[in-house]
Amino acid sequence: MNRRQLLLASAASAAGAASGSLAAAPRQIATGDAGALPMPAPTRVLPPMLPETDPSRIRLERGWRFHEGDVVPPPPANHEQTYLSVKAGNAQGAAAMAFDDSDWLAVRLPHDWAAAQPFVETANISQGYRPRGIGWYRRTLRLDPADRAKKIELHFDGVATNATIWVNGSIAAHSWSGYTGVVVDLTPFARFGDADNVIAIRVDAQAMEGWWYEGAGIYRHAWLVRRAAVAIASDGLHADPRQGADGRWHVPVVATLTSVDRAAVSVTVEAVLHDPAGRTVASGEVSVAVVPLEDADATLTLDVVAPGLWSIETPQLYTLVATVRRDGAVVDERRVAIGFRTIRFDPAKGFFLNDGHVKIKGVCLHQDHAGVGVAVPDALLRWRLERLKAMGCNAIRCSHGAPAPELLDLADRMGFVVMDENRQFNPAPDYLAQLEWLIRRDRNHPSVILWSVFNEEPMQATEAGVEMVRRMAHAVRKLDDSRPITAALNGSFFDPVTVANVVDVTGFNYYQNDYDRFHTQFPNRAMTSSEDTSAYETRGAFAGDPAKHIASSYDVENASWGDTHRATWKKIAERSFVAGGFVWTGFDYHGEPTPYAWPTIASFFGILDLCGFPKTAFDVHRAHWVDDAPVVSLAPHWSWPGREGQPITVLVMSNAEQVTLRLNGRDLGTQAVDRWMGNSWTVPYAPGRIEVVALRGGRIVARAAHETVGAAVALRLTPARSVMAGDGEDAQPATVDAVDARGRHVPTANLPVQFTVTGAAIIGLGNGDPNSHEPEQSAAGSGARSLFNGLAQVIVRAGEGRGRIAIEARAPGLAPARLAIDQLAVAPPPQVAVTPAQQRIAQWRRSMPFDTRPSPELAPSDGDNNSWAFVASGTATPAGSGGRWRVYRSSIVPWRAVGAGGGRLRFAAVGGRAELWVDGVRVADKPGAAPAPIDARIAPGLGTRRIVLLVEADVASASGVMGPVTLSAL
């Protein structure tokens, strides 16, 4: 074995005992290991699943068909077509029930079609140079006859951007925002049993609500909801604990009931409160009468003695279970997690949670992630929040629109406080309804501490703007009076006419040099930074290069309106009257490629990059925000071949008292820690080991180090978790990096990598480079992505059932990395059954009876609407109707998929002995007289197909086409 082979073998051993075992997985850099991967070590447990809050809903995410581009129906050709086109149920084109979508792409939701688009210089810059356009979705479903008389709804948690939804050929809903959920009342349109219900959705993603990447399509969860005739309305349960002046806690409960019953009904609503251990701590019930097609509120109050409090450190959640009983039987149940906590914004001292001072250490978040766009799986969303927690973040601003509901569910459980933000600054009815929906949906979450009614509006210093905010604030307080209202202002704080005069907490977007002036001029107004920093960093780059669109990671570049991470937080931390801040942004995001344009396609603002890989800013904020553990970090890496003897700036961030820097064992000096601005040295570069130790009371409490690494000889794969749930939904990122012969991370590697995956699907690829145009999506089992400054990411989604997921990464000239992940047997979430794509043959012409077998060519004359009967599939010919033989004729133009590849013709039930003929060819026989199915294949062929059924009936038995008839692709 030669030297190179030895090096490869050594590196493969160090990098990847990941194949089947994670015992040698790299530790997090916080341990101080030089050459360690700058990502957390894999965990070995599945994250807890979010509980189901509404047992009457089920996911509607499989079996969808998608078409990119608009489908414009031809205009009506005559009066009759015009007349019919405007009638209920007679939608035209792709919204029509009988429309041929057989060759549309099969997709599963959530789905962001823009994430798969190439980057195009002529596309909108703010949306990340990705074409969006218009798309169509279609889905067929069937409803159990037992669901008759129930309230049936479709819920879409988010559709980007504007949408029109048809149900069974009738427009059932419009949506004017990609951030607002859509509730479709399917009840009046519903069909049951074997009848199909066809959902068609036209999504207009040309409409833009923001100046950042917004994605395109049905990008959040979708649900079918089947409730009792009298039940709690969607988002109709409100339970927000309040503490009285006497210190006692009460939980006012309001359950808004709806009814589709045909008579007034009296029901009983019971509310039971369980503590975090599942013990019942309070209960109550109330009776209420509900009038048909109207709403009624059931109200009661629960008293709770000395509850455990929800906080950032101990986010204790109680569960309120509300049930509706009718005639003694439970007909509806809803569960909601609530938290006991008090919030207060003090004009002099900032934010208080449970009467304890808390500095808001927050980030602003957009929705997208590398590879998946805005269709972020729940598990990946949790992982992103875990990355924020790891740097001491305790707050999230949802910028600039309603977040996915799962984000707030996770914030409740993980201990974040949230500034929940409205998207559209408009009190007109359509847009006020969006704000009201946001409040109703989110008002039970203990994590939500602020309602933000807008972000950076030019009308914020006008009389019209003030009147708009007054009306929006009024709408908020009618639905929830327990949280203050804010707005994210970019100026006009001191104008005589400004919305700053009518909100409860003034939100500062930048203007960090006006904090003192505002507090002096308005000492009785609470304030927070609602958006700050806007600093630029390219992960892993330590010299800015405008020509190459690269920003330095030393935290020295920022937008003219902002400041560096260090200087911004210093101004907030040193002012008790500033409640805290929200850094722009937690993660990089696609679009708004400030300060550069093409070929840059993403932002530079993030503390973490598009993949969640940490920039230097991550360690800056760890030093700023982590109070309960020692922190020290060291930048940059220490591999600079060709720069021997040249000065290198070394930045150290720590929350300790002192830091000492050493190079190759030589002491370079000790400095008192500057927690906000950090400590720096200028060090002539010499290969080897550079190390910093942090001290408190003269004792070393933390250390960090970098070593000069060798050439990359192998790849390494590191997952977030060593296990995944085999529920078909679980997803996680795996990091790929290059290592040298000693297994050390090579931070300068920029190599093309090929991925193959078995047992799972690749749903996204990324590397955090805001200038990269490599595709972020690929075939399900393979893909490619280059390392960028040492790192790349592949995101995989598990299959179903117990098994093994294998990931392999290869790069030219390097030893490959292999990773095995256990897929555990976890029940998948219930899904609405996929309805097979079928054409229905509904109408037949039935001949008069014959005593002898007629010819299959027999047909009525043109224009003969009298001698042959018109009958529908499923209509039996009664016994004793005379004669033994009848001819049944129909015709159909098959869907394109059938015409191209042939199809399967199925009669669910035919009574009598029968012959089946298609286009003059006998394709099947049924020898028995008892009702039974007939199945036959039909050959490919375009145009109209003639279907003839010859039926010989027993005199004493019903006969004919006694069930549905369908044609489907092979």
Side-chain angles (χ1 to χ4, degrees):
M1 186 178 289
N2 61 32
R3 175 175 170 77
R4 176 169 176 76
Q5 290 172 324
L6 285 168
L7 288 173
L8 290 173
S10 173
S13 174
S19 178
S21 170
L22 292 170
R27 288 177 287 167
Q28 191 172 359
I29 196 169
T31 63
D33 286 357
L37 182 72
M39 292 295 286
T43 62
R44 300 176 185 274
V45 295
L46 294 176
M49 298 179 65
L50 291 171
E52 179 53 71
T53 59
D54 184 354
S56 59
R57 71 178 187 172
I58 184 173
R59 295 192 189 206
L60 182 64
E61 297 180 350
R62 309 292 178 91
W64 287 87
R65 296 273 181 173
F66 170 69
H67 173 78
E68 185 181 341
D70 205 359
V71 179
V72 180
N78 52 44
H79 172 73
E80 182 70 9
Q81 290 184 13
T82 304
Y83 176 83
L84 291 174
S85 71
V86 297
K87 297 298 183 180
N90 272 358
Q92 304 298 298
M97 290 190 67
F99 181 81
D100 179 5
D101 61 15
S102 62
D103 58 353
W104 285 16
L105 182 68
V107 298
R108 58 180 284 177
L109 307 182
H111 179 241
D112 174 6
W113 86 71
Q117 299 296 320
F119 299 102
V120 178
E121 188 172 5
T122 54
N124 184 270
I125 176 176
S126 297
Q127 297 283 337
Y129 294 108
R130 274 191 163 133
R132 297 170 75 219
I134 292 171
W136 281 84
Y137 294 85
R138 285 175 57 91
R139 210 312 188 157
T140 300
L141 61 90
R142 291 181 186 156
L143 296 171
D144 193 316
D147 291 333
R148 292 183 188 274
K150 289 183 179 180
K151 177 71 174 290
I152 303 174
E153 295 176 342
L154 302 173
H155 290 187
F156 298 95
D157 288 346
V159 183
T161 296
N162 293 347
T164 303
I165 301 172
W166 288 262
V167 174
N168 293 337
S170 292
I171 291 178
H174 291 285
S175 173
W176 306 117
S177 175
Y179 302 90
T180 304
V182 190
V183 176
V184 181
D185 185 1
L186 192 146
T187 316
F189 308 103
R191 303 177 180 191
F192 300 91
D194 288 331
D196 287 339
N197 293 273
V198 178
I199 306 162
I201 304 176
R202 181 182 185 269
V203 180
D204 179 3
Q206 295 178 123
M208 291 184 287
E209 294 180 272
W211 49 97
W212 57 88
Y213 176 82
E214 297 183 280
I218 308 174
Y219 73 97
R220 290 179 181 166
H221 289 304
W223 311 86
L224 174 67
V225 182
R226 294 167 290 191
R227 307 198 196 284
V230 178
I232 299 172
S234 297
D235 297 330
L237 184 60
H238 185 201
D240 189 10
R242 310 293 176 98
Q243 187 177 36
D246 58 1
R248 297 181 180 179
W249 284 92
H250 315 279
V251 183
V253 179
V254 179
T256 300
L257 301 166
T258 64
S259 173
V260 295
D261 213 302
R262 295 180 178 271
V265 175
S266 180
V267 297
T268 299
V269 176
E270 181 184 34
V272 178
L273 186 65
H274 302 286
D275 69 10
R279 297 180 294 257
T280 299
V281 295
S283 63
E285 65 178 46
V286 63
S287 295
V288 62
V290 190
V291 176
L293 304 180
E294 297 287 347
D295 295 347
D297 286 342
T299 61
L300 55 90
T301 300
L302 305 180
D303 297 326
V304 183
V305 178
L309 299 184
W310 184 94
S311 69
I312 290 168
E313 296 76 20
T314 56
Q316 298 187 75
L317 291 175
Y318 286 63
T319 302
L320 181 81
V321 181
T323 55
V324 180
R325 292 198 305 272
R326 179 175 178 177
D327 299 327
V330 174
V331 295
D332 191 25
E333 178 182 291
R334 216 65 54 82
R335 293 173 174 266
V336 61
I338 63 174
F340 291 82
R341 58 42 170 172
T342 63
I343 57 175
R344 174 167 56 91
F345 283 83
D346 186 279
K349 298 181 180 179
F351 175 61
F352 287 78
L353 179 64
N354 301 325
D355 288 326
H357 181 260
V358 174
K359 200 72 169 181
I360 294 174
K361 304 167 181 176
V363 298
C364 300
L365 290 184
H366 280 317
Q367 300 186 98
D368 67 305
H369 188 90
V372 297
V374 294
V376 180
D378 295 351
L380 183 59
L381 180 57
R382 177 190 289 273
W383 180 85
R384 284 165 59 90
L385 295 179
E386 290 170 347
R387 301 296 292 130
L388 297 178
K389 267 290 179 181
M391 70 173 183
C393 175
N394 65 14
I396 295 164
R397 176 186 174 211
C398 305
S399 48
H400 304 288
E406 292 77 20
L407 183 142
L408 296 182
D409 291 335
L410 291 167
D412 289 343
R413 288 158 176 80
M414 297 174 70
F416 289 95
V417 293
V418 175
M419 177 175 167
D420 207 349
E421 192 155 280
N422 173 59
R423 173 75 291 265
Q424 297 289 352
F425 183 42
N426 192 333
D430 282 345
Y431 299 97
L432 198 62
Q434 295 176 19
L435 174 61
E436 291 168 340
W437 166 86
L438 171 70
I439 308 305
R440 282 195 304 271
R441 189 196 70 167
D442 295 348
R443 61 188 174 178
N444 294 319
H445 289 281
S447 58
V448 176
I449 62 167
L450 282 167
W451 300 119
S452 174
V453 293
F454 72 75
N455 169 74
E456 296 184 358
E457 288 292 338
M459 295 177 65
Q460 63 195 18
T462 66
E463 291 184 3
V466 169
E467 288 302 312
M468 292 163 73
V469 170
R470 286 184 62 225
R471 283 154 179 77
M472 296 171 78
H474 178 69
V476 171
R477 292 187 179 108
K478 282 176 62 177
L479 294 168
D480 175 54
D481 62 358
S482 71
R483 297 170 176 88
I485 295 170
T486 189
L489 281 77
N490 59 334
S492 66
F493 303 102
F494 307 99
D495 292 3
V497 176
T498 170
V499 299
N501 297 332
V502 294
V503 296
D504 303 313
V505 176
T506 302
F508 272 68
N509 278 19
Y510 310 100
Y511 287 84
Q512 55 273 4
N513 295 321
D514 284 344
Y515 293 159
D516 293 336
R517 179 186 169 197
F518 185 85
H519 181 60
T520 300
Q521 192 165 332
F522 305 107
N524 296 320
R525 292 188 188 173
M527 62 183 292
T528 187
S529 167
S530 44
E531 182 175 322
D532 54 61
T533 310
S534 277
Y536 308 132
E537 290 187 13
T538 299
R539 176 187 55 76
F542 291 91
D545 188 342
K548 295 182 179 179
H549 294 197
I550 294 173
S552 167
S553 286
Y554 276 120
D555 189 31
V556 292
E557 298 185 33
N558 55 267
S560 59
W561 57 85
D563 211 334
T564 65
H565 291 274
R566 293 171 293 164
T568 296
W569 185 251
K570 177 179 171 67
K571 291 173 183 176
I572 294 171
E574 292 178 343
R575 289 163 173 80
S576 61
F577 55 85
V578 180
F582 293 90
V583 177
W584 191 264
T585 51
F587 293 81
D588 279 344
Y589 54 94
H590 291 90
E592 195 177 15
T594 313
Y596 304 113
W598 183 267
T600 301
I601 47 81
S603 77
F604 295 79
F605 295 119
I607 298 171
L608 302 106
D609 70 15
L610 283 163
C611 297
F613 297 141
K615 303 181 186 180
T616 304
F618 183 86
D619 287 325
V620 168
H621 287 287
R622 281 203 309 131
H624 288 172
W625 290 350
V626 174
D627 296 318
D628 58 355
V631 169
V632 69
S633 66
L634 180 67
H637 60 78
W638 206 243
S639 297
W640 301 98
R643 292 191 59 181
E644 288 76 9
Q646 297 180 23
I648 301 285
T649 298
V650 175
L651 176 64
V652 171
M653 296 299 303
S654 181
N655 62 1
E657 296 171 352
Q658 294 179 309
V659 286
T660 299
L661 188 68
R662 298 169 182 155
L663 176 61
N664 295 328
R666 181 167 58 91
D667 195 323
L668 300 182
T670 298
Q671 298 182 16
V673 165
D674 183 340
R675 186 175 182 184
W676 309 141
M677 300 304 293
N679 298 81
S680 64
W681 283 260
T682 300
V683 180
Y685 175 65
R689 177 185 178 89
I690 190 165
E691 180 182 31
V692 63
V693 295
L695 302 97
R696 283 182 182 165
R699 185 175 63 86
I700 295 176
V701 294
R703 66 178 69 236
H706 295 309
E707 292 180 354
T708 305
V709 299
V713 298
L715 294 178
R716 171 172 56 184
L717 279 164
T718 307
R721 286 183 270 118
S722 62
V723 293
M724 295 185 72
D727 60 359
E729 302 288 333
D730 192 14
Q732 69 158 322
T735 300
V736 62
D737 73 321
V739 296
D740 69 3
R742 291 171 55 187
R744 297 174 299 184
H745 170 65
V746 179
T748 57
N750 292 279
L751 302 165
V753 179
Q754 293 283 336
F755 298 97
T756 55
V757 176
T758 58
I762 295 176
I763 60 172
L765 299 155
N767 62 12
D769 181 1
N771 300 314
S772 174
H773 290 193
E774 293 178 332
E776 295 188 38
Q777 295 190 352
S778 64
S782 63
R785 191 70 176 184
S786 297
L787 297 181
F788 173 65
N789 290 340
L791 299 171
Q793 183 177 85
V794 56
I795 304 168
V796 296
R797 182 175 58 215
E800 294 188 6
R802 184 166 184 81
R804 195 87 158 161
I805 296 169
I807 306 175
E808 183 178 74
R810 289 182 172 273
L814 272 62
R818 296 180 180 88
L819 172 66
I821 299 171
D822 287 330
Q823 182 172 288
L824 306 182
V826 175
Q831 294 270 359
V832 176
V834 175
T835 301
Q838 298 173 333
Q839 278 182 281
R840 288 180 174 264
I841 304 174
Q843 296 296 328
W844 297 83
R845 298 296 302 275
R846 183 184 67 193
S847 73
M848 66 292 290
F850 298 95
D851 290 328
T852 59
R853 177 185 177 280
S855 168
E857 297 298 320
L858 186 67
S861 303
D862 289 343
D864 179 357
N865 294 321
N866 302 99
S867 60
W868 287 56
F870 292 85
V871 295
S873 295
T875 304
T877 300
S881 297
R884 294 176 54 199
W885 289 88
R886 289 183 186 268
V887 181
Y888 295 79
R889 298 185 64 90
S890 189
S891 63
I892 189 171
V893 177
W895 285 343
R896 290 181 292 272
V898 174
R904 179 187 180 206
L905 182 61
R906 177 177 173 80
F907 291 73
V910 172
R913 289 170 288 277
E915 303 170 13
L916 177 61
W917 295 70
V918 176
D919 296 334
V921 177
R922 189 168 176 169
V923 296
D925 292 288
K926 175 179 173 285
I934 297 179
D935 281 282
R937 288 194 173 191
I938 66 170
L942 303 177
T944 302
R945 313 298 291 274
R946 293 179 292 110
I947 302 171
V948 176
L949 191 70
L950 297 185
V951 176
E952 181 186 13
D954 283 348
V955 176
S957 301
S959 62
V961 184
M962 301 175 68
V965 183
T966 58
L967 178 61
S968 58
L970 293 176

